[in-house]
Amino acid sequence: MQTLTADAFVSVATPPPLGDDEVHVWLIESATAQRAPALSVAAHATLGWLLARYVGEDAGPPAIARGPHGKPYVPLLPELEFNLSHSGRCTLIALARGQAVGVDVERSDRCWSVDGIARRYFTASESRALAQVGDGERANAFLSLWTCKEAVLKAIGSGISFGLDRVEFALSTNSRVDRLVATADEAGTPAEWEVCAIEPSDGYFGAVAWRGPKRSVRTLRAAPMAATAFAE
């Protein structure tokens, strides 16, 4: 599985055109970790700024509606799909045209009950694989799995309610996700999915996923001047 690291993200002042065969993944980092309410407000302000540029609206962020399962969309441009995730000081936003996408990011310094969560919510194979990882790397391996699963479930549009154990990944020898190996019938087959791991900063793990043909993933980082505009 491809892993996108911090070095892959290119700073830009404004969003470039979004091709029909692309997925844009934006990384926005704050200088320090923020508490959940402030981070959520800042992340959604950034999302609004980006959507306005992609839609071509100068008046401000376009209206956002929600589907039956709560998945957001822009009625003004329904073919523009997007998803957002934030944790600590990192926000990831994925966008694509005519292709549902899911993205997730988590920080490793949260208090995760790794073994308990894996036994209860992951597949038996995933739980066994995690149990074989050394204590020093188990939390990172868990987050690699968790974020890949979340990205797929968010792309489906149901989130965790779909069931974390209904998509299964295999771990590689370096204790990171290797590939998607099984999915519930309504989620198609593993061959239909594209999943990229993301390690945007030290101590952060993420992933972007979509069910469809391969697309070029363009990784973008807000330049300082653009980052200021996000907060306005």
Side-chain angles (χ1 to χ4, degrees), residues 9 19-20 56-57 67 75 81-82 100 121 127 169 175 179 196 199 217:
F9 288 84
D20 292 340
E57 286 287 295
E81 299 275 358
F82 61 92
Y121 296 108
S127 183
F169 287 87
S175 302
R179 67 192 187 283
C196 295
E199 296 186 11
V217 178

Side-chain angles (χ1 to χ4, degrees), residues 123 125-126 167-171 178-183 189-190:
T123 69
S125 293
E126 290 170 334
V167 294
E168 182 176 315
F169 287 87
L171 287 180
D178 180 45
R179 67 192 187 283
L180 180 62
V181 296
T183 56
T189 65

Side-chain angles (χ1 to χ4, degrees), residues 12-13 28-29 45-46 49 53 222-232:
V12 294
I28 299 92
E29 288 185 278
T46 300
W49 187 91
R53 270 69 185 169
M225 289 182 65
T228 301
F230 292 157
E232 293 177 350

